[in-house]
Amino acid sequence: MLTSYWIRQREYLLEISRALTAQLDLDTVLEKILQAATEILGGQAALIALRQPGGGFAVHAARGLPIRLAGYFSTLLVDIPEQAGHADFHIPGLAIKLQDVALATGLPFNQVIALPMLTGRDLIGVLYVFRAHGGSFTLDDRQVLSSFADQAAIAVQNAQLYQRLAQEKRRLDAILEHSADGVMIMDSGQRVTVFNLALSKLTGWSAGEAIGHHHDEIVVWERLETDLDLKKAVAGGWPLARERGGHSLYVEGDLRRRNGTTVSVGITYAPLLDREGRLVNIIANVRDITRFREADRLKSTFVSIVSHELKTPVATILGYAETLARPDARWDMTTAREMAVTIKEEAQRLDRLITDLLDVSRLQAGALPLTMEDVALDALASRVAQRFQVQTDRHEILVRFPDDFPAVRGDAMRLEQVLNNLVSNGIKYSPQGGKIFIEGQSRPDGVVVTVTDEGIGIPTTEQGRIFDAFYRVDDSSTRSTGGAGLGLFLARAIIEAHGGEMWVESEPGKGSAFSFALPYG
Ligand code: ADP
């Protein structure tokens, strides 16, 4: 009778153990343990306390207890011994604590058994079973339960590890998905298995479309900057060839997007090998390098424009100075003065360029200091007009401001620099001559000043770019005039530093109107 009881117990335990270890969801595992433990012992309730990552224990699952009363049971977790085997596991004063809990909750429990859940020597949790009546828990009860508790501990640990793994995977997936760089993971046959959001944006392929495709269907090079692409590298033995075993591969060039446009990218391919050195995955990190390319382009434009702009006046100055200094020549006063004036003008042009370059570097450092005062833009415009009028016969510079034009707060010198630039451009880019207007309007929230010319105008496609540093419209009429493409860039920066804005309206062949708006205060 007793033997068959034991056999049944053993079989039951075996069955539970199997069911437990087949489970990976922690809540389900805990639920099954509680159910089995109450059944084995004929208990009315049970709970499981698990060790917390930060230390101490907390109730993770309960059965047969109204959830609102679960808090009372936390006193039973106090004084859980940190280090103990099955034989010497003992929570001091447990029976008395249970009496208090029963009194406080009105629950009819008067017996408790606490079993350590051990994996090796590590106590990962404690299983409590409560009984309302019946004989006290026997040594046999303990023995049956302790082997069960060990199985349960293993199942809990598995579920916890699995949970951690799943969490880690979710974290990695989130990092991958939201990484600013494009990321693509391929299997050993170069079929895409993961394709993140940034890469979708970059290439125009959605993850759903890309997954399952071969790398070469997605990554199509319009132009290669590096010697190798993935195909050639693989043909050469990458990543397994001994001399390069496991090394990453960098490929750079212009990639064809799904819609046919191109984008400059650098792709780093990293192989993932297994212990035996077999290729498992290739991870490709795709970076948009358009901005670096743009910066490169800007740098070379900068070098060519600035060197041209520096060289031209220097060559003129040198030429005239050498001529003047020739020991064998005698110059009459008028000729000598003319040469000196040219030297002065070219030196001024150099000085302007150097000042502009300094302003640009100040701006890039984030500081364009302004000295604010009340500025009468109408008077300023008249001064600028007068100064330029003496330099040209072909243009008529007209100033039109209403009589009661209000003053604005601003840096007078910087605003004069803006007007100088707009008027000098108006002259420069209307080689046939014509009228140049400087007009002012006052509005409720500020003033608007417009400089209009009747010159060559600006194609619509260029109007957005002429305010960029070192940008010049590339046509013969611009090329024949000097300039570093800094004037408008600085003018707009100055106006924006005043809290204003600047824009252009223009029609090629008819003329241009540059306006800026400034707030009053
Ligand atoms: P720069 O005159 O030194 O080239 P800016 O920054 O002042 O530099 O102007 C940038 C470009 O914008 C010029 O090269 C020219 O192509 C165009 N531009 C500026 N002002 C005018 C204008 N009034 N009419 C036509 N084109 C203009």
Side-chain angles (χ1 to χ4, degrees), residues 282-358:
I282 299 175
I283 302 167
N285 186 287
V286 187
R287 182 162 284 190
D288 183 349
I289 55 168
T290 317
R291 282 177 47 168
F292 296 107
R293 286 275 173 80
E294 182 62 16
D296 260 5
R297 192 193 62 76
L298 207 70
K299 212 160 72 188
S300 53
T301 321
F302 167 83
V303 172
S304 68
I305 285 187
V306 170
S307 48
H308 172 262
E309 284 300 298
L310 287 174
K311 268 192 110 124
T312 318
V314 169
T316 316
I317 292 170
L318 269 178
Y320 278 89
E322 272 169 10
T323 314
L324 270 176
R326 260 169 43 194
D328 54 334
R330 291 267 170 274
W331 305 106
D332 63 74
M333 265 316 266
T334 327
T335 316
R337 185 164 296 130
E338 272 170 11
M339 287 196 231
V341 167
T342 308
I343 290 175
K344 183 183 145 211
E345 280 171 1
E346 291 301 302
Q348 276 171 337
R349 189 168 143 188
L350 265 183
D351 185 52
R352 262 197 314 275
L353 178 63
I354 292 165
T355 316
D356 279 357
L357 285 173
L358 284 176

Side-chain angles (χ1 to χ4, degrees), residues 425 428-429 453 458 466 471-473 478 483-485 487-488 512 514:
N425 278 352
K428 232 166 48 171
Y429 300 110
D453 63 57
I458 304 156
I466 52 172
Y471 192 80
R472 308 194 72 212
V473 176
T478 305
L488 287 178
S512 311
F514 284 86

Side-chain angles (χ1 to χ4, degrees), residues 309 421-422 425-430 451 453 455-458 465-468 470-475 478 481-490 506 511-514:
E309 284 300 298
N421 176 258
L422 296 184
N425 278 352
I427 295 173
K428 232 166 48 171
Y429 300 110
S430 48
V451 178
D453 63 57
I456 60 171
I458 304 156
R465 309 186 63 182
I466 52 172
F467 294 98
D468 292 348
F470 303 111
Y471 192 80
R472 308 194 72 212
V473 176
D474 188 18
D475 64 14
T478 305
T481 57
L486 289 177
L488 287 178
F489 170 72
L490 288 173
S506 178
S512 311
F514 284 86

Side-chain angles (χ1 to χ4, degrees), residues 133-147:
H133 47 74
S136 58
F137 287 107
T138 63
L139 207 60
D140 283 346
D141 290 337
R142 274 197 163 275
Q143 257 163 14
V144 170
L145 266 183
S146 53
S147 66

Side-chain angles (χ1 to χ4, degrees), residues 40-222:
I40 295 169
L41 289 175
Q44 275 72 47
L47 65 81
I48 293 175
L50 293 182
R51 187 189 284 283
Q52 299 298 96
F57 290 80
V59 175
H60 271 249
R63 182 185 166 86
L65 300 176
I67 201 76
R68 69 196 153 80
L69 298 179
Y72 287 97
F73 288 79
S74 55
T75 54
L76 306 185
L77 315 187
V78 181
D79 298 333
I80 294 177
E82 285 290 323
Q83 287 267 317
H86 280 295
D88 52 359
F89 184 82
H90 172 71
I91 303 177
L94 192 59
I96 302 194
K97 284 180 192 157
L98 181 68
Q99 279 176 15
D100 293 343
V101 173
L103 213 63
T105 58
L107 291 169
F109 303 147
N110 49 40
Q111 281 177 32
V112 56
I113 181 166
L115 288 146
M117 296 167 74
L118 291 157
T119 57
R121 290 291 299 172
D122 288 337
L123 181 68
I124 66 158
V126 182
L127 169 62
Y128 297 78
V129 182
F130 306 100
R131 266 202 312 222
H133 47 74
S136 58
F137 287 107
T138 63
L139 207 60
D140 283 346
D141 290 337
R142 274 197 163 275
Q143 257 163 14
V144 170
L145 266 183
S146 53
S147 66
F148 165 73
D150 285 350
Q151 293 297 328
I154 292 168
V156 168
Q157 201 182 36
N158 282 346
Q160 280 177 330
L161 283 175
Y162 181 75
Q163 206 176 38
R164 226 174 292 154
L165 206 72
Q167 220 168 40
E168 195 60 23
K169 181 169 176 341
R170 274 200 299 277
R171 208 170 65 92
L172 280 178
D173 284 349
I175 292 174
L176 263 189
E177 188 58 13
H178 301 291
S179 144
D181 282 349
V183 181
M184 163 164 82
I185 302 181
M186 289 161 278
D187 62 17
S188 55
Q190 293 180 26
R191 300 243 156 232
V192 177
T193 57
V194 171
F195 200 84
N196 80 344
L197 203 68
L199 198 52
S200 289
K201 284 194 185 141
L202 200 68
T203 59
W205 287 81
S206 74
E209 292 162 340
I211 288 171
H213 280 269
H214 189 271
H215 168 272
D216 296 352
E217 294 173 75
I218 312 279
V219 176
V220 181
W221 296 106
E222 196 71 33

